Amino acid sequence: MAAAGPPPLAGIKVLEFAGLAPGPFCGMLLADAGASVLRIDRAPRGGSSSSGSTPQDWLTRHKASLAVDLKSPRGIRLVRALVARGADVLIDPFRPGVLERLGLGPDDLLPLNPRLVYGRLTGYRRDGRYRDMAGHDINYLAVSGALSLLGRDAEIPHPPVNLLADFAGGGATLFQGVLLALLSRASTGRGQVVEANMVDGASYLATFPRFMLKTPLGALGRGRNLLDGGCPYYDTYATKDEGRYVSVGALEPQFFAALLRGLHLEGQGWESRRYDPDEWPALRRVLADVFRTKTRTEWERVFDGTDACVAPILEYGELETDPAREGDQRPAVTLRGTPCLAVKQQGDAPGDPAIYGQGRGVPGDGYEGAALAPGEGAEDVLRGWFGWAKGKDYNVSDGAFELVNSDSKL
């Protein structure tokens, strides 16, 4: 096995302004890929790391923190100096205008460093009718149209926690935009502003189901179609043991035939009647009754190794504690030559880095996040980025980092 090369984003320097879930998630994706991510936190009052001014953030792995007083000209100059000296990426998680009013907007920073990729993330569109309103994942998902697709027939729309807008449509979409801008920079030599919002991101994720609305596969209304809970052989079922469930996705004829064999329902005419939506309620009752006759473990013995498209619905508690399950947290993508960083802590004999990631991993193994105290790890990062030393290039006053010598150009 060839030795692994450096992670794909090794050497990329990222300034991430502290915020709530989507911005930190983008920063975590960059950090997991090997970028050096320095979170810019508000300086704790009185120099205490217990200040409540920092948002609750557990998406901190492979990051460090720099505590800055952004109400102080010295704090602003410090951020500007970091950009001017060669930061590659900046993540702005605030409402439009917040960093601009501090003198840290794109028009202020790109002249200092034309190679900077300035990533900013909002919930609503920056130019839309909701741009001045507060919101959360559920609101962005609502106005994107995607929420109207989610939920059972005759029930109200229901969001899947805050996965779709915050993380998929927001943080992961901004991450993609930053990567595209870095790729463009490699040929143009120039950075640019990258804007993502959770409305457009969620809507983009809904491209396929939105197209299906114009076809027989998706035109029956919410919760009545093939892939949204309407079809009984693409659904979930309770088993005999309380609180346990299985998933069924036997769409193709050969998979449906394997499902019927495992349930001992073959030869009852369901093979031909399954295409008729009027037959779906009756088939759902039959499947529900049969699945309740065995425990989830017993159904696993029936269907494991088959093409019936039946799989247990596993909970994170059992994934974390059962080594036989595929619950060891790994990098999101396998890069054979330049793997990302490890999530699960590695022992003295780490596995294949392409699969498990490089390095020692992080406490919590991907199941428990860790808080990052304001200022934690900043001295090492500043030394690594620019060779800065405390007392020579910067000082820490009342918990806030500031430059020793302020360049008047900043």
Side-chain angles (χ1 to χ4, degrees), residues 105-126:
D107 291 342
D108 304 298
L109 299 185
L110 285 173
L112 298 176
N113 178 3
R115 291 178 56 81
L116 178 69
V117 173
Y118 193 113
R120 47 187 182 178
L121 178 63
T122 57
Y124 297 116
R125 288 178 173 176
R126 301 178 73 90

Side-chain angles (χ1 to χ4, degrees), residues 152-201:
R152 291 285 186 178
D153 179 22
E155 295 183 3
I156 62 175
H158 190 74
V161 295
N162 64 330
L163 286 173
L164 283 183
D166 274 356
F167 294 108
T173 300
L174 180 61
F175 171 68
Q176 173 182 276
V178 167
L179 295 183
L180 292 174
L182 289 173
L183 184 63
S184 175
R185 190 183 74 172
S187 59
T188 67
R190 299 188 67 83
Q192 59 183 294
V193 177
V194 177
E195 294 181 351
N197 70 79
M198 295 170 224
V199 173
D200 288 336

Side-chain angles (χ1 to χ4, degrees), residues 32 61-62 329-331 340-347 350 356-366:
D32 283 348
R61 64 181 180 232
H62 305 128
Q329 297 301 308
R330 303 177 180 181
C340 293
L341 298 179
V343 177
K344 180 180 174 61
Q345 287 189 296
Q346 306 289 302
Y356 298 100
Q358 303 190 60
R360 285 291 186 177
V362 295
D365 294 336

Side-chain angles (χ1 to χ4, degrees), residues 195-251:
E195 294 181 351
N197 70 79
M198 295 170 224
V199 173
D200 288 336
S203 182
Y204 199 90
L205 289 167
T207 297
F208 180 74
R210 183 170 64 250
F211 289 172
M212 287 180 64
L213 294 173
K214 305 290 187 179
T215 75
L217 293 177
L220 299 179
R222 183 177 63 252
R224 301 177 185 176
N225 303 284
L226 189 68
L227 301 179
D228 63 2
C231 175
Y233 44 92
Y234 196 89
D235 208 343
T236 60
Y237 292 93
T239 57
K240 185 177 181 180
D241 41 343
E242 189 69 25
R244 299 293 190 184
Y245 307 91
V246 295
S247 65
V248 177
L251 294 175

Side-chain angles (χ1 to χ4, degrees), residues 303-321:
F303 288 111
D304 276 5
T306 75
D307 283 343
C309 297
V310 177
I313 296 179
L314 303 175
E315 298 178 2
Y316 280 118
E318 58 188 315
L319 284 168
E320 183 178 4
T321 57

